[in-house]
Amino acid sequence: MTARKRRSGKLAHLAPERTLRRLELQVTRRLDGLLNGEHLGLLPGPGTELAEARVYQPGEDDVRHMDWAVTARTTTPHVRDLIADHELEAWALVDLTPSMDFGTGTMIKRDLAVAALAAVGFLTVRLGDRVGAYLMHTDGMRRWPARTGKAAMYALLQAALDAQSAEDAASTGTTATPPRDLAAAVESLDRGQTRRGLRVIISDFLAPDGTGPTPAGPHGQLPWERPLRRLTARHQVLAIEIIDPRELDLPDVGLVEMADPETGTVHEIVLSRRVREKYAAAAADQRERTRAALRRSGAHHLVLRTDRDWIADVARFALRQRRAAGRPVTTAGVRP
């Protein structure tokens, strides 16, 4: 069987229209009530258009929205609400490099990344906004133009699933160009899309050389931290970190052969207790450095795991964002 046929079979299983529609219903039904009326869905924020003035409610309204002209004229404190912006663009940078082909849970990381893209996309297009993406994979990076509507969203998800994996490249004898590193990809997103809106980075944030934590730059910064900070200065940024449980700790199974998905290097390793402890410590350090870098850059951080209910994790994240923003929330349909 050719790699093309295998890939087509995978797509037939993962991405027929009825499957994508079912995914859409999962996202919208289980998050319904959390996100309605909140522009940009997962990240609530004020708009920039002024609405009509109304009487100030102590303890409920933000004094920064006080309308001093109306207050002086009526001698009664008034605030002016902000209307959420419409016709915005949400752009996602999706990491589909070889390290994303790994997974020991209910799905591989690549498919979970596509599911995360679907969550952001479906919640954005239902508000009438456009969604575009930069797909970073073994063939380089492809820009998918921002469009509105469900049909365009399905096409984008299909393109993400159809991106050639490292396994497909090896089976066809294709010499894949070195994947762009995350820092360069974030810079491309920042330079190429200047209109304000939501920016989503979906990645495992692992180094392209497979060495674990990305080598730090000046002042201990990770290479992608500075371009990400520039991105957050102008946009709302959500970083979705994709992880697999076997990337956090190793099982006690003795001698195993391990292949680095990024470099193809194969090693025989005895998973002794000492090796497993060192591995767990290094993995914890890598995750902490990623968390710290995202926090310093000002991006919101959502972690999705291949062995967990990702929609429930998205719902919990949305609830935390609502509470942090002081917005009312409903919890119907969301499991604790």
Side-chain angles (χ1 to χ4, degrees), residues 90-160:
W91 283 87
L93 171 60
V94 187
D95 183 356
L96 300 173
T97 54
S99 67
M100 298 293 287
D101 292 330
F102 177 74
T104 61
T106 57
M107 63 178 73
I108 64 173
K109 293 194 296 179
R110 167 188 286 253
D111 293 341
L112 182 54
V114 175
L117 175 62
V120 174
F122 286 134
L123 294 173
T124 300
V125 297
R126 72 185 298 203
L127 295 169
D129 291 338
R130 294 179 291 274
V131 180
Y134 283 68
L135 306 179
M136 184 174 66
H137 48 82
T138 55
D139 295 326
M141 189 162 68
R142 178 184 179 187
R143 176 184 174 275
W144 190 269
R147 299 188 178 114
T148 188
K150 294 179 182 178
M153 191 65 235
Y154 291 152
L156 171 56
L157 296 176
Q158 186 76 28

Side-chain angles (χ1 to χ4, degrees), residues 35-187:
L35 308 176
N36 286 346
E38 301 291 351
H39 202 74
L40 292 182
L42 295 176
L43 298 181
T48 56
E49 249 182 84
L50 293 176
E52 294 183 357
R54 59 176 177 79
V55 176
Y56 170 74
Q57 300 294 326
E60 297 182 9
D61 294 326
D62 191 337
V63 294
R64 293 175 296 181
H65 299 161
M66 191 74 70
D67 190 322
W68 297 110
V70 177
T71 298
R73 188 168 62 249
T74 62
T75 69
T76 302
H78 278 69
V79 293
R80 193 174 290 271
D81 287 330
L82 296 173
I83 301 175
D85 296 319
H86 293 278
E87 285 299 314
L88 299 183
E89 289 184 354
W91 283 87
L93 171 60
V94 187
D95 183 356
L96 300 173
T97 54
S99 67
M100 298 293 287
D101 292 330
F102 177 74
T104 61
T106 57
M107 63 178 73
I108 64 173
K109 293 194 296 179
R110 167 188 286 253
D111 293 341
L112 182 54
V114 175
L117 175 62
V120 174
F122 286 134
L123 294 173
T124 300
V125 297
R126 72 185 298 203
L127 295 169
D129 291 338
R130 294 179 291 274
V131 180
Y134 283 68
L135 306 179
M136 184 174 66
H137 48 82
T138 55
D139 295 326
M141 189 162 68
R142 178 184 179 187
R143 176 184 174 275
W144 190 269
R147 299 188 178 114
T148 188
K150 294 179 182 178
M153 191 65 235
Y154 291 152
L156 171 56
L157 296 176
Q158 186 76 28
L161 287 170
D162 204 16
Q164 189 180 45
S165 68
E167 181 182 354
D168 291 335
S171 62
T172 58
T174 303
T175 303
T177 58
R180 300 190 59 165
D181 62 86
L182 188 60
V186 174
E187 287 178 355

Side-chain angles (χ1 to χ4, degrees), residues 13-33:
H13 173 68
L14 289 173
E17 184 170 331
R18 64 179 179 274
T19 301
L20 292 177
R21 289 188 183 278
R22 185 159 56 248
L23 176 60
E24 177 196 0
L25 290 176
Q26 280 185 294
V27 172
T28 55
R29 284 179 178 175
R30 291 181 60 182
L31 299 184
D32 194 28

